[in-house]
Amino acid sequence: NITKEDDIEFMREYIKNVTEHKESIEDKIKSKLVGWSFDILGTVEKTLLKMSFYDEQLEMHIEKND
């Protein structure tokens, strides 16, 4: 069973990884924006995009190693 502590540890590790790869994630987001500037996006939008792009990178890494 997954405990609350497991959830907390997962989120800490997730946030740490997104933060460590912030620049490369932001560069990938910026390269995909058409007609938008990254700087104009709100904090919530930037955060959701970073999480999405990180998840995509993680998924690609997992598939590559399978």
Side-chain angles (χ1 to χ4, degrees):
N1 289 336
I2 296 175
T3 64
K4 180 178 177 180
E5 289 77 23
D6 292 334
D7 287 342
I8 291 170
E9 182 57 33
F10 171 81
M11 288 308 299
R12 282 188 180 137
E13 189 69 21
Y14 186 90
I15 292 166
K16 181 183 125 219
N17 288 329
V18 171
T19 302
E20 286 177 357
H21 298 96
K22 177 183 173 188
E23 288 183 27
S24 67
I25 293 170
E26 286 182 0
D27 287 343
K28 288 181 180 171
I29 293 169
K30 290 174 185 177
S31 74
K32 301 292 183 185
L33 292 175
V34 176
W36 287 87
S37 167
F38 185 77
D39 298 328
I40 286 179
L41 298 174
T43 302
V44 172
E45 289 80 7
K46 288 178 184 176
T47 301
L48 291 172
L49 284 168
K50 288 176 197 174
M51 292 171 66
S52 297
F53 272 70
Y54 176 76
D55 284 347
E56 183 179 300
Q57 286 179 330
L58 185 60
E59 187 176 306
M60 287 173 30
H61 177 74
I62 291 170
E63 288 175 0
K64 183 179 177 182
N65 291 324
D66 279 345

